Amino acid sequence: MIQGFQRVCCSGLRFSNQSRSCSTTSIKAEWRKRRNIIYNQELQRQRSELGRPEKVKITFIPTHCVEKPNTMMMNLGTSTPFDCARHVSETVQENAAIALVDDQVWDMHRPFEKDCTLKLLTMEMPNETRSLNNAYWRTCSFILGAMAESSFKDDVQLYLHSFPPPNLKSGSFIHDVVIDLEDWRPTNAELKALSAQFVRLTTASSLPMERLEVSEEIALDMFQDNPYKSKQIPDMVRDNKLTLYRLGDHIDISRGPMVAGNYIIGRVTIASVHKVESEETDRMYRFQGISIPRGIRLNHFAYSILEDRARQLNTSTWVNQFQPEYEEPEDTQRSSGEETSVAAAQN
């Protein structure tokens, strides 16, 4: 169906450098713009309610035992682990993927809520494989949704449905998408084009993974164009709050955490798209991919094994946002050498 990576194909796929040939103001673009306006307004409202900045004491604990902990005074409700990373060094800022705040996994762009200890983790820390892999996998699923939304022509009806929690044994990150195509089976050329679109979203510019908690009312307003998310939102809310993430202009719902930004993502392959059964629709497609973080090296043969595994149907299921996520048993985690790289890639 794809006649080349630079052309719009009859199946409904398109590519970013050809999107101008479509209408300049699409319905999808208008809804995306509206979500961002609401997001910015709510962010500004929350910040204005903070009033005069209060200080919190952050005890930064370096990952190298030879270094001593040091204290930083940061702003309550606005300062984040990423801000602390800036004070440490440029290298730390560029490589920190997630944080541990009082030993709790924490987004790099999530504001501090009280005095606490802080550790900054990179994707090459074998002792924190599970936390890092979960956040990395979840972020890849999030970007997979952005890729799907930006890869089809405007006349193809498409709704992002959900992405199940990371399953460290599944072999692929996934995103379920409802697409108004009766029996779409992407060719190898189309899968390569989708991979290229994913890469564009992670390399075109360095973007932070923003995080914002909103009320159920605001979330329903933001996603009123999506009947599936409108149905899911009430079951995801806890204490009248729901967590949103934003990368560029793409916004979606997740309990997180996610890695610091798209610049953490390295090599990626969109391995397969499967039509899956659903009680809600007969046009649900599961996008599956594999990726390894930036800076992680893996030889071609090992990566090809991961690609082959990612082509198999991933049978993970979407669950309520606040149900416990799957966790791999401790004794099955890899912890050194190339095996650590493989674990990071798989998860």
Side-chain angles (χ1 to χ4, degrees):
M1 287 185 285
I2 292 180
Q3 302 302 316
F5 293 169
Q6 306 301 320
R7 297 182 58 187
V8 178
C9 68
C10 61
S11 69
L13 280 175
R14 71 174 183 201
F15 307 99
S16 58
N17 61 343
Q18 289 293 319
S19 60
R20 293 171 186 157
S21 64
C22 303
S23 60
T24 55
T25 308
S26 69
I27 294 177
K28 294 177 186 176
E30 286 300 317
W31 279 109
R32 185 164 55 249
K33 180 180 178 181
R34 182 177 182 274
R35 276 193 289 273
N36 278 272
I37 290 173
I38 297 173
Y39 186 104
N40 291 333
Q41 289 175 341
E42 176 61 13
L43 177 62
Q44 184 60 38
R45 184 195 67 79
Q46 292 185 19
R47 287 180 174 175
S48 65
E49 288 187 348
L50 291 173
R52 186 175 179 178
E54 298 181 26
K55 295 294 182 180
V56 288
K57 183 173 73 172
I58 310 301
T59 303
F60 174 64
I61 303 175
T63 54
H64 301 290
C65 298
V66 295
E67 301 178 31
K68 295 182 179 180
N70 60 77
T71 300
M72 306 179 191
M73 300 305 297
M74 308 298 289
N75 291 329
L76 175 67
T78 57
S79 295
T80 67
F82 187 79
D83 295 320
C84 292
R86 284 175 174 166
H87 292 292
V88 178
S89 72
E90 183 177 351
T91 300
V92 171
Q93 176 189 333
E94 292 175 351
N95 291 285
I98 59 174
L100 293 181
V101 172
D102 286 340
D103 292 323
Q104 175 186 349
V105 180
W106 202 266
D107 293 276
M108 289 295 294
H109 296 280
R110 179 179 177 180
F112 295 113
E113 300 173 356
K114 60 179 181 178
D115 295 346
C116 62
T117 60
L118 171 67
K119 297 178 183 177
L120 300 175
L121 308 182
T122 73
M123 295 303 301
E124 299 181 67
M125 291 183 172
N127 292 334
E128 298 294 343
T129 297
R130 181 187 299 177
S131 298
L132 289 163
N133 285 344
N134 275 337
Y136 186 81
W137 222 227
R138 189 180 293 109
T139 305
C140 287
S141 289
F142 177 95
I143 299 175
L144 192 55
M147 179 218 70
E149 269 199 336
S150 61
S151 295
F152 288 81
K153 294 189 292 186
D154 296 323
D155 59 352
V156 176
Q157 192 174 48
L158 179 150
Y159 297 107
L160 299 186
H161 184 276
S162 58
F163 48 102
N167 182 330
L168 304 188
K169 292 184 176 180
S170 68
S172 60
F173 58 84
I174 61 179
H175 203 120
D176 291 340
V177 184
V178 179
I179 308 173
D180 191 18
L181 297 174
E182 185 173 355
D183 191 23
W184 177 48
R185 298 181 182 182
T187 64
N188 288 335
E190 288 176 319
L191 291 173
K192 289 180 180 179
L194 291 171
S195 298
Q197 177 66 359
F198 193 107
V199 170
R200 277 191 285 269
L201 292 173
T202 59
T203 60
S205 59
S206 181
L207 299 172
M209 183 62 74
E210 303 174 70
R211 179 186 186 277
L212 184 68
E213 291 184 357
V214 302
S215 67
E216 177 180 353
E217 180 182 5
I218 290 176
L220 287 170
D221 189 19
M222 292 178 80
F223 291 97
Q224 62 178 270
D225 63 309
N226 188 321
Y228 302 98
K229 291 194 182 296
S230 295
K231 181 180 178 181
Q232 295 163 10
I233 285 172
D235 293 328
M236 294 178 171
V237 174
R238 183 172 64 182
D239 297 329
N240 195 36
K241 288 185 178 181
L242 191 75
T243 304
L244 303 179
Y245 284 85
R246 178 168 71 172
L247 185 73
D249 65 355
H250 180 67
I251 300 172
D252 207 343
I253 306 166
S254 175
R255 73 175 184 180
M258 298 197 188
V259 298
N262 62 352
Y263 51 87
I264 301 294
I265 310 300
R267 185 177 180 181
V268 64
T269 300
I270 305 306
S272 59
V273 179
H274 297 276
K275 191 173 184 180
V276 294
E277 293 184 1
S278 169
E279 295 180 355
E280 298 176 89
T281 176
D282 62 354
R283 301 194 176 187
M284 182 84 76
Y285 291 89
R286 172 158 292 185
F287 289 71
Q288 300 182 190
I290 187 72
S291 176
I292 55 177
R294 183 200 66 186
I296 299 292
R297 296 182 179 181
L298 196 64
N299 66 56
H300 176 76
F301 177 73
Y303 189 78
S304 67
I305 292 175
L306 299 184
E307 288 180 310
D308 289 341
R309 185 181 179 191
R311 293 187 180 98
Q312 302 172 20
L313 175 62
N314 186 324
T315 58
S316 299
T317 57
W318 183 86
V319 294
N320 182 290
Q321 184 175 3
F322 294 105
Q323 289 182 352
E325 293 189 356
Y326 171 89
E327 290 189 344
E328 186 178 17
E330 291 285 352
D331 58 3
T332 65
Q333 292 192 30
R334 300 171 175 88
S335 61
S336 63
E338 184 172 277
E339 289 187 337
T340 301
S341 300
V342 175
Q346 289 178 326
N347 307 306

